[in-house]
Amino acid sequence: MNSIKVFIRNMNQSRKWEPLKKVGVIGVPFEKGQKKYGVSVAPAALRSAGLIKLLETIGGLDVKDYGDIETTVATTDVNVDNMTHLPQVSACNKKLSERVSQVLKDGRVAVTIGGDHSIGVGTVDGHYKVNEDMILLWVDAHADINTNKTSGSGSVHGMPVALLVKELADYWPYLPTMDWQEPKFSIKNLGYVGLRSVDEYERLVIEKYKVPAFAMEDIEEHGIRQSINHILQVLDPSMNKPIHVSFDIDSLDALEAPSTGTPVRGGLSLREAISLMEIIHSTGRLRAIDLVEINPALGDESDRKRTIEAGLCVLKAGLGFSRRGTAPRGVLDLPIQTHH
């Protein structure tokens, strides 16, 4: 009798992790986390490139557009050393966190289109409030784990991970306007993919906390599949935790996605990125994807088009688009002709 119970429980557990067939899209036209104009128009550019229709063509996906987060905010006189536009970043992320929680509670995968990567604070915070056992894959050329004391630029898009993880909470001064956000997420649930431009302090943190980080030379050596599987194994050996992928388009090689603010050559190929997202999708546990740092104002028409297309490919792969196409039923039963 017990073995039957165990079998049923295992069945239930595996049934729990079917890929969700419902998606909620959130646009965040926000660019105050960095200094270049243009990344705020990415949600509009992706929608006009047919994002919603494209996702609806993926077998049986129910897509709901939750619109854009309101990002204009009355400027308050808040000065924190070396953190540009903190009140705006904070106000936008607070609204975004609430919206992401809402989408997840509606039983949908939260697909957030940025904006710059400072919006990762809101997406991860909103996800964590619904699934405290979530794990986070940060797919990026940069580690984004600077504090205001270690950042070279003062741009908050280089700080979201440091703002989120509880292990670094003591390294921050008091941040006015950020009271809504408590860093509860543990760095032990974080993994990196695609790193190739990491500051000294960031490297120190990654090594100190043994964060599984697959930089480009590791991916070169082990291949994308083994790299991702290793990270998932380290973060979640029982394979039972919801997954959040925060995907910075600059993780791709600059030839694949030229229209981005801080391009770094030598990155992931689009094929590797698609493969990565397919692997995550196949776990059935993907609950949130952020796609950030597409900047349609940089580069020429062909750069723009290439970058937006790359972003759309990444999202499609994460949500179940099959590169093989879907075979009509019965075709696989056909005898294979062998020529002697």
Side-chain angles (χ1 to χ4, degrees):
M1 186 64 191
N2 280 356
S3 60
I4 291 175
K5 271 187 190 156
V6 169
F7 174 72
I8 289 171
R9 194 171 70 234
N10 289 347
M11 284 282 289
N12 289 343
Q13 275 178 346
S14 60
R15 197 169 298 140
K16 180 184 165 192
W17 295 116
E18 288 286 304
L20 282 182
K21 286 293 192 184
K22 295 166 86 173
V23 171
V25 176
I26 307 166
V28 194
F30 186 77
E31 58 185 30
K32 296 288 188 208
Q34 47 87 64
K35 297 183 171 72
K36 292 180 181 170
Y37 163 75
V39 70
S40 63
V41 299
L46 282 156
R47 284 197 181 95
S48 74
L51 167 69
I52 305 297
K53 282 267 182 291
L54 211 60
L55 295 184
E56 285 172 340
T57 61
I58 299 172
L61 217 51
D62 165 357
V63 184
K64 179 177 176 184
D65 192 341
Y66 284 71
D68 283 350
I69 297 293
E70 173 60 53
T71 57
T72 48
V73 62
T75 48
T76 40
D77 284 341
V78 168
N79 279 322
V80 174
D81 270 357
N82 204 28
M83 282 187 92
T84 323
H85 302 301
L86 178 62
Q88 290 95 323
V89 171
S90 177
C92 170
N93 274 304
K94 181 173 191 285
K95 291 180 196 136
L96 177 56
S97 171
E98 290 159 4
R99 185 80 52 94
V100 168
S101 292
Q102 183 57 58
V103 171
L104 292 168
K105 285 173 183 161
D106 290 347
R108 294 175 180 272
V109 177
V111 175
T112 305
I113 311 296
D116 67 60
H117 218 160
S118 68
I119 70 164
V121 175
T123 61
V124 175
D125 186 80
H127 189 173
Y128 183 84
K129 282 173 176 155
V130 177
N131 293 323
E132 288 195 357
D133 60 342
M134 61 162 282
I135 59 175
L136 173 61
L137 274 187
W138 203 262
V139 185
D140 201 323
H142 311 86
D144 295 348
I145 197 164
N146 273 306
T147 67
N148 64 323
K149 296 184 193 68
T150 64
S151 165
S153 67
S155 295
V156 184
H157 76 161
M159 309 179 193
V161 181
L163 285 164
L164 286 161
V165 298
K166 60 184 181 191
E167 287 81 357
L168 297 184
D170 294 345
Y171 292 89
W172 290 97
Y174 170 67
L175 300 176
T177 74
M178 283 291 286
D179 294 328
W180 62 273
Q181 195 263 332
E182 225 180 303
K184 289 182 171 175
F185 180 74
S186 172
I187 200 166
K188 295 182 171 56
N189 294 316
L190 166 72
Y192 282 113
V193 182
L195 296 178
R196 55 195 186 282
S197 176
V198 179
D199 299 337
E200 286 170 31
Y201 169 80
E202 296 181 303
R203 170 59 54 204
L204 192 73
V205 173
I206 288 169
E207 286 175 3
K208 175 180 175 182
Y209 291 102
K210 300 186 170 56
V211 179
F214 277 74
M216 284 313 302
E217 63 263 37
D218 304 314
I219 291 167
E220 195 90 333
E221 188 177 338
H222 302 290
I224 194 76
R225 179 171 295 275
Q226 218 177 323
S227 304
I228 301 307
N229 286 336
H230 178 83
I231 293 175
L232 293 177
Q233 191 60 44
V234 170
L235 300 183
D236 179 21
S238 66
M239 300 196 288
N240 213 18
K241 293 177 178 174
I243 300 171
H244 186 124
V245 176
S246 202
F247 193 102
D248 188 322
I249 202 73
D250 75 21
S251 62
L252 295 179
D253 190 84
L255 291 172
E256 304 266 22
S259 297
T260 187
T262 46
V264 187
R265 291 292 295 275
L268 295 169
S269 69
L270 182 55
R271 210 167 64 188
E272 286 171 321
I274 288 171
S275 179
L276 179 165
M277 295 308 293
E278 288 174 343
I279 292 165
I280 303 290
H281 174 263
S282 70
T283 65
R285 305 199 306 277
L286 180 67
R287 289 298 174 265
I289 313 179
D290 320 329
L291 176 65
V292 299
E293 299 285 357
I294 290 177
N295 188 334
L298 298 174
D300 60 21
E301 184 55 41
S302 116
D303 292 340
R304 252 197 304 283
K305 190 168 182 294
R306 190 179 323 154
T307 308
I308 287 168
E309 276 176 2
L312 292 172
C313 287
V314 166
L315 290 177
K316 277 165 46 183
L319 295 167
F321 175 79
S322 165
R323 287 185 278 180
R324 293 169 182 272
T326 42
R329 296 173 73 157
V331 168
L332 301 178
D333 308 330
L334 294 174
I336 292 169
Q337 298 292 322
T338 50
H339 296 286
H340 296 299

